[in-house]
Each structure stands twice: as C-alpha cells, then as structure tokens.
Amino acid sequence: MATAYLFEPYADRYDAWYEGPVGRGAYRSEVRALAPLMARCPRPWLEVGVGSGRFAQALGVPFGVDPAHAPLRRAAQRGILGVQAVGERLPFREGAFGGVLVVVTLCFVEDPLALLREAQRVLRPGGGLVLGLILAESPWAAHYQEKARQGHPFYAAACFYRRGQVEEWLHRAGFALEAWTATLFQSPDRSEIREEEPRWGFHREAGFVGILARKPEGPEGGR
C-alpha cells in the first residue's frame, strides 16, 4: 500500500501529464501497442493498477483495482467500475476474468511476483495477461532514473526490471509467453513525442513494450 500514499496527493498531477506534449504522444503510442495484445484475450477484462482509468477507457476494460482512492474517483468518471485493492491480493474468485491488463504497475508494487501470481489465479484457463512496461534496458528507464535522482516523486518510487527478470517471474507465476509489441523509439529528451505505430517483437531500444502471456489451458500453471 506504500505507493497509494504517493498517488493520493498527486492524482491530478499524474493524470495531467497525459495531456502534455510528451505524455499525449507517449500515451497514444502505448495504447496502440497494447490494443492488439488485449484483442487476443477473451472477455471480461480487468486492469490491475487502473489509476485514473485512461488505459482502461481507451482499451475497453470495464473493471479495475487500485490501492489509491483519488485516482479511482477519476476512473469512475471515465466509466470504469473500480475497487480499492492491491494487486498482490485481488478480491475476485479464481478464473473470474479472461484478460488482465497491468500497465507500468509492476514498477511500483512491493512484490511483482505476487501480483503476477494473483493475475494468474483470477484468469480462466486460456486467459491472457497483458503487461505494459518500461524495461531497465530502455533509454527511457535511464531518463526516468535521472529524474528520480533529481527528486521527481513518481520516478523516485519506481523500479525498472530487465527483460530476463520479467520473463522469469512470468514463468514462475505459471504463464506461457506469447507475444511482444514495442513503441517509443524516439529519444525521451524530446520536448514533444509524436504518436508511433507499434512494432511486433522485442526491441531493446524501445521505450515501452507490451507483453502477452497466456495462462495454460491445463492444470500445469505454476504456483
């Protein structure tokens, strides 16, 4: 729950970033990278770490959870049915969803593996987990880490993980990796980011990646 205390007072500031010259183009590019992955997931869909609901609204995800109440109020204004909860302890029955979306939330949770295991639990067999991430290999991670050193409240609380670490967690949580998308090939130092067409596959130089991982149809999912 520690990051909830960060996003409660800064909810408006965080949401406003998506309307700025960098945030607008980055956000639209990220949505385009995630959309084809979500399309491969059966409904219903849930977003873990829904925040103010921007991604859920754009991608057609009707349900969300977040530990911070202030962003959930904004999500409700965008038509998202939200519940105050942490990703490591989801208040839903096993197999309740066909798709789970997690956008940059792994960077802020205390136990990423526990969140992935909970996502696996609430997914039905054959359901899909879609992650949106800034990987540690990315030049954008280095850019945000520099902002953290300068005292930026959001980035100071963020952890960026390498591709191998994320893949290991997915395997341990019982997922089969299915597809990658990538976007934000522009320099993070630009004063304005233009909307990009996503690319399929893993690209080390991408600022943002999408990952689709599948819960197996049989009983072999990990714990």
Side-chain angles (χ1 to χ4, degrees):
M1 292 290 287
T3 54
Y5 298 105
L6 171 65
F7 287 95
E8 288 287 5
Y10 292 115
D12 290 342
R13 176 178 172 180
Y14 184 83
D15 195 64
W17 180 83
Y18 291 98
E19 298 294 343
V22 173
R24 186 183 306 111
Y27 164 68
R28 292 175 179 174
S29 300
E30 290 163 3
V31 167
R32 294 182 69 175
L34 296 170
L37 303 179
M38 289 302 301
R40 297 188 181 188
C41 301
R43 291 184 178 270
W45 295 347
L46 167 74
E47 183 176 1
V48 177
V50 69
S52 62
R54 282 187 177 269
F55 284 94
Q57 182 186 46
L59 293 166
V61 181
F63 306 110
V65 300
D66 201 277
H69 188 258
L72 282 173
R73 289 198 298 268
R74 282 188 168 272
Q77 293 169 358
R78 293 188 166 107
I80 311 304
L81 182 60
V83 176
Q84 192 169 14
V86 296
E88 297 94 328
R89 295 185 300 277
L90 295 174
F92 305 108
R93 62 175 174 80
E94 184 173 343
F97 297 97
V100 172
L101 173 67
V102 184
V103 185
V104 304
T105 299
L106 283 189
C107 296
F108 294 98
V109 299
E110 296 177 5
D111 190 341
L113 178 57
L115 184 150
L116 294 175
R117 283 175 166 158
E118 273 292 271
Q120 204 262 16
R121 182 185 65 81
V122 302
L123 278 170
R124 69 182 61 164
L129 168 70
V130 174
L131 299 178
L133 290 170
I134 300 164
L135 293 176
E137 295 94 328
S138 162
W140 284 69
H143 174 74
Y144 290 140
Q145 287 167 337
E146 177 57 32
K147 285 184 173 291
R149 286 189 285 270
Q150 296 170 8
H152 193 288
F154 298 122
Y155 304 126
C159 294
F160 299 100
Y161 302 106
R162 301 187 71 82
R163 174 188 181 181
Q165 178 68 81
V166 175
E167 290 180 337
E168 179 188 349
W169 283 334
L170 287 169
H171 175 73
R172 291 174 62 186
F175 286 101
L177 190 61
E178 185 170 310
W180 291 78
T181 55
T183 191
L184 296 185
F185 293 91
Q186 301 160 72
S187 168
D189 297 317
R190 293 171 59 98
S191 60
E192 183 174 355
I193 297 296
R194 68 182 185 279
E195 184 176 347
E196 293 182 19
E197 182 77 21
R199 305 179 194 176
W200 286 97
F202 172 75
H203 297 266
R204 182 186 179 93
E205 68 275 22
F208 181 89
V209 299
I211 305 172
L212 172 61
R214 186 79 60 183
K215 180 174 180 175
E217 293 279 0
E220 63 270 24
R223 274 290 165 201

